[in-house]
Amino acid sequence: MALEEYRRKRRFGVTSEPKGRKPAERKRAKNLVYVIQKHRATALHYDFRLEWKGVMLSWAVPKGPSLDPSIKRLAMQVEDHPMEYNAFEGIIPEAEYGGGTVMIWDRGYWMPADPDVDAALKKGEIKFALLGEKLEGEWVLVRTSGRGRGSQGGSKPAWLLIKHKDAYASKRDVAEEEPRSVESNRLLVEIARDEGGNMQKAADGDPPALLRRMIADPKSIAPAKTRGKKKVWHSNRPRGGARGMA
Ligand code: MN
């Protein structure tokens, strides 16, 4: 596991995604974190990432997780990501790898059923529990014999993400019912608006019924975030002048 493929695919002078430090060694499989990033790139998908040995093992799940144990969701394994990526929410420039809007959709801890995750990876069956803000309970990732097409033409191992039958199994559509960021409470369209992304494209990944309600009642739309250098410039304040001098 290393970050070479992750770094090879990205131009860090252009995208604001993190380059990532050297993976930190952790002795025990305890308090391992997971994150799910909703990503409106060429196509909408959910990036499902599990911490292991200082990096985030990653799968792209086109339809997102389902709480229904009878529904198997395709999960294409992709390159390991740096742990710093877990805090990334914003815009990847359109011309770059993965160009589009990224939302931190869910996060929390994951617990592998078998502490030997390397063996589970090799076997192609990872059983685990999630303790997150949206997802909980037992899940399994099972590798299939199929291979999905990678976004750059290479083929990637195809896995299936399946909810195990337990108290957290449900028929409700969690992706549709809980479409907002756990970091900022924003929809994709609001992240694109705040961070200078393509709002039309981002909105395509938000639930249409919710967008229709927002358009019908514009007061329900969260105000734009203002922070740091994106703050509105006040023209009566002299640029570069000492504060309180004008
Ligand atoms: Mn992605």
Side-chain angles (χ1 to χ4, degrees):
M1 271 164 280
L3 299 172
E4 282 91 20
E5 187 183 353
Y6 171 84
R7 289 185 181 134
R8 184 160 35 80
K9 287 177 168 172
R10 289 166 178 81
R11 297 192 297 162
F12 295 101
V14 182
T15 182
S16 54
E17 295 162 285
K19 192 172 178 200
R21 290 185 294 270
K22 189 171 175 286
E25 286 299 328
R26 291 177 73 156
K27 289 189 184 76
R28 285 167 178 278
K30 73 171 186 185
N31 295 339
L32 295 167
V33 299
Y34 84 92
V35 68
I36 301 175
Q37 280 153 321
K38 189 174 179 180
H39 185 185
R40 177 63 175 95
T42 310
L44 177 70
H45 59 275
Y46 293 72
D47 287 302
F48 186 80
R49 311 190 198 282
L50 301 174
E51 177 192 355
W52 183 241
K53 291 189 168 173
V55 296
M56 300 303 289
L57 306 174
S58 296
W59 288 262
V61 185
K63 291 185 174 176
S66 170
L67 303 181
D68 183 345
S70 71
I71 294 177
K72 301 172 172 67
R73 287 284 158 86
L74 179 65
M76 234 78 80
Q77 193 170 9
V78 298
E79 74 273 16
D80 299 340
H81 277 53
M83 289 194 62
E84 293 95 319
Y85 207 93
N86 299 356
F88 181 75
E89 179 172 278
I91 303 301
I92 300 169
E94 284 300 328
E96 300 305 302
Y97 179 71
T101 304
V102 177
M103 170 203 291
I104 302 173
W105 184 78
D106 191 27
R107 64 186 162 197
Y109 296 105
W110 79 283
M111 289 136 279
D114 176 355
D116 190 348
V117 175
D118 291 322
L121 272 166
K122 203 173 163 192
K123 188 181 163 204
E125 186 181 73
I126 311 170
K127 290 180 177 167
F128 55 94
L130 296 180
L131 183 60
E133 296 185 38
K134 292 178 183 172
L135 302 186
E136 287 185 278
E138 292 170 29
W139 297 73
V140 66
L141 270 164
V142 190
R143 191 169 55 224
T144 72
S145 55
R147 295 181 78 81
R149 273 191 305 128
S151 56
Q152 291 191 327
S155 69
K156 300 280 190 185
W159 297 59
L160 296 170
L161 175 66
I162 311 163
K163 180 76 194 73
H164 187 75
K165 282 180 192 151
D166 63 15
Y168 301 100
S170 166
K171 295 280 183 195
R172 76 187 178 90
D173 186 345
V174 67
E176 183 80 13
E177 289 178 17
E178 299 183 47
R180 290 181 175 275
S181 164
V182 292
E183 167 69 25
S184 66
N185 203 39
R186 291 178 294 178
L187 294 170
L188 285 167
V189 68
E190 291 166 327
I191 295 168
R193 176 197 60 190
D194 295 346
E195 320 280 344
N198 181 334
M199 289 176 67
Q200 193 82 40
K201 181 180 166 188
D204 183 64
D206 290 319
L210 177 58
L211 293 178
R212 281 195 295 272
R213 283 203 301 278
M214 289 168 67
I215 292 163
D217 179 15
K219 282 192 291 253
S220 69
I221 301 172
K225 279 177 68 164
T226 55
R227 63 166 193 212
K229 64 182 177 204
K230 290 199 181 81
K231 268 187 184 134
V232 175
W233 173 255
H234 297 284
S235 57
N236 61 350
R237 198 179 294 167
R239 188 177 222 118
R243 223 175 256 184
M245 291 280 286

